[in-house]
Each structure stands twice: as structure tokens, then as C-alpha cells.
Amino acid sequence: MSEEVYLKEFRGTIQNHQEHHNLTRLAYQSAWQFLVYGLFNNYSPVEVIANELHLAREAERELEELTRNVDWMRKMVGNRENEMKEELFILRWMRIMKRYFHDFTMWKEGNVELINSLVQIYRAANDNCRDISSECAYPLRNASENRVVNVQDLFEGGAVDTVLEGMQRPTLDDNVMRNCLYFFLNVSKRQKHEEKDETDEAKRNATKMELFEKMEEEGYEDIITGFCELIPYYLSLSENDLPFEDSSYYFVYL
């Protein structure tokens, strides 16, 4: 099947469901998953379709509906089979969003709302659904790298507060910590870069001060001390992990 036909079929399937609601939740999610993860030489047509069919808005709506049916505190004993299905759907949406924030550069709508949905799930899943909270950290990290997402969007969506809180958890695993570190390194580098491009200096300085104040409120000095002890460990994991030249943005620039 040619790429053009492939894209046309998935576009038609998703659009038809949005108009008539004729797919199961699994089928609708799978259609988006195949579209976003399709093997294409040119990603632009996929982005155009995703924008036209409002992937960000649809993902936010689906995640909101799914989270209502999960017992995040694990208080209920019964009905775990259905709840596990909901959690599986959430995990799959997290992986779609990971790819979405990493590869898509044309979309502009729904940044804050979608980030806030990820933040709410990350917070809810921290204690008892570690696999979900771990998956949430990836799209938040990718959002901090994507130039389409403004740094202020990360503040308004609650990502900055949430990542700060999460980094201080005593049970934080290595993968989540790594993504949290990168999140703040990305934010720091982008603010440094925007110094050259930002025409509204007052707005830039206000955003910068807001981040600094939040770091102080959440125990900035303690976090830095902890990171200094962890950095050598992360450097030893693989060549793709935190390089010292990037860590300087976090430890010195702010």
C-alpha cells in the first residue's frame, strides 16, 4: 500500500469516528497510534493530518475520561480487570504523546491543556502506578525540548511545579530522574537561547525569575547537592546520558 493511500485510510477512519463515534476506544486509539508511529519518509503529511484532526485536543479528552475510572490510591479491591484496561490505554496514550512532542513541530493548539493533562496523571500516578508516572516523564521532557512549546506553556500547564516536586521524592527511579534532569536542562538552555531572540525582555526576565523562585521554594540548594552526587552515575550509564557541558546550564546559568 502506498504512503498516500495509507494516510488517506487512517485519516478517513479517524474523521469518521469523530463524526459518528462508531469505533471502540481501543480501535480509535490504535488508529492514532498507527498514524503517529507509521514508517514514513516524509513526516509533514502526518503532522498536517494530526493538526486537522486535532490530535492534541483528542488526546486530552481521552486522557481525561480515562483518568476518571482509575483508582489511583488503590483503595478498591474489586473490578481491577476493567481498571487495568484503563491503565493500559493511558500508557499507550503516553507513548503516543512521547512521539508527538518529540517529532511534531507544526502544531500550535492546545499546548497548555495537553501538558496539564499529563501533569495531572503524573501527580496521581506517583504513589501507586509507577509505570504510568514513569511514562508521563518522557512526554514532559520532550515538550521541554520542542520549540513549538513555549517555556511559559510549561509553567501554565503545571509541568515546572510537578517536575520539581517529583525530583524530591525518595522513591524516584533512575529513568524518571534522568527525564526530570533533562527537563530543567532544556528549560535552562532555551531561556539562555531566548535571551538573544526575545524582544520582550521584561517578560523573559519575569519567566526566568519565576523559575528561580520556584527552585528556591522547593529546596533548590538541596536538589543541586543531590544532583552533584548523581551526575557521575548517570554519565556512566551510556554515551547518550547527561554530558557535563549541558549540566553547566543547570548548575551555573540559573
Side-chain angles (χ1 to χ4, degrees):
M1 183 182 294
S2 69
E3 181 178 305
E4 182 178 353
V5 174
Y6 183 95
L7 290 172
K8 182 179 179 180
E9 289 294 324
F10 276 102
R11 180 179 189 168
T13 299
I14 293 170
Q15 194 168 33
N16 191 264
H17 171 75
Q18 291 177 342
E19 294 174 0
H20 304 290
H21 305 286
N22 57 351
L23 295 176
T24 64
R25 173 166 281 161
L26 175 61
Y28 184 52
Q29 185 186 60
S30 296
W32 276 117
Q33 189 170 33
F34 278 114
L35 179 67
V36 171
Y37 277 84
L39 301 177
F40 307 107
N41 294 323
N42 182 3
Y43 225 82
S44 294
V46 179
E47 289 198 65
V48 170
I49 293 172
N51 284 334
E52 290 179 353
L53 299 180
H54 308 289
L55 173 53
R57 186 183 67 192
E58 291 295 290
E60 179 203 352
R61 181 184 56 77
E62 289 282 315
L63 288 171
E64 185 177 343
E65 292 180 2
L66 287 165
T67 53
R68 294 196 197 107
N69 300 319
V70 175
D71 176 23
W72 298 107
M73 301 305 294
R74 297 287 193 257
K75 293 179 179 179
M76 298 176 61
V77 178
N79 206 29
R80 278 293 296 153
E81 182 177 350
N82 288 335
E83 187 177 321
M84 289 175 67
K85 291 179 181 178
E86 305 293 327
E87 292 176 15
L88 179 60
F89 285 133
I90 291 173
L91 282 170
R92 292 179 65 184
W93 272 116
M94 288 298 109
R95 289 159 190 162
I96 294 172
M97 292 299 97
K98 175 183 174 183
R99 183 68 172 266
Y100 183 60
F101 278 112
H102 186 269
D103 293 325
F104 284 36
T105 59
M106 295 167 56
W107 54 275
K108 295 186 181 299
E109 66 163 24
N111 295 359
V112 175
E113 294 80 8
L114 180 55
I115 289 169
N116 187 252
S117 292
L118 299 175
V119 162
Q120 295 305 318
I121 294 173
Y122 182 76
R123 286 178 180 270
N126 255 332
D127 290 323
N128 300 306
C129 303
R130 300 298 299 279
D131 52 343
I132 293 179
S133 65
S134 179
E135 285 295 331
C136 281
Y138 279 100
L140 290 176
R141 166 186 169 177
N142 289 346
S144 72
E145 295 174 347
N146 197 319
R147 292 287 178 180
V148 178
V149 181
N150 296 323
V151 172
Q152 193 60 33
D153 292 340
L154 300 173
F155 278 106
E156 293 179 14
V160 174
D161 287 330
T162 300
V163 173
L164 272 173
E165 293 169 8
M167 286 193 299
Q168 298 178 81
R169 298 177 64 84
T171 57
L172 197 66
D173 66 40
D174 291 344
N175 287 329
V176 176
M177 175 60 85
R178 188 181 301 110
N179 285 319
C180 289
L181 282 166
Y182 271 110
F183 176 91
F184 279 106
L185 288 170
N186 292 331
V187 170
S188 299
K189 286 191 289 186
R190 289 185 59 188
Q191 286 188 310
K192 186 176 180 64
H193 176 76
E194 287 168 8
E195 282 188 341
K196 303 174 183 178
D197 303 328
E198 181 66 67
T199 56
D200 188 350
E201 185 176 355
K203 181 178 178 181
R204 173 177 54 77
N205 287 335
T207 301
K208 196 168 159 184
M209 183 59 67
E210 185 178 356
L211 177 59
F212 182 76
E213 288 175 352
K214 287 183 182 298
M215 295 294 282
E216 285 193 318
E217 290 171 6
E218 297 294 335
Y220 178 78
E221 293 181 357
D222 291 339
I223 294 174
I224 291 295
T225 301
F227 284 174
C228 287
E229 296 175 358
L230 288 169
I231 290 296
Y233 168 67
Y234 286 124
L235 287 170
S236 68
L237 294 179
S238 81
E239 60 182 9
N240 295 320
D241 285 319
L242 203 62
F244 274 121
E245 60 265 28
D246 283 346
S247 67
S248 65
Y249 283 111
Y250 183 79
F251 296 117
V252 177
Y253 174 65
L254 280 178

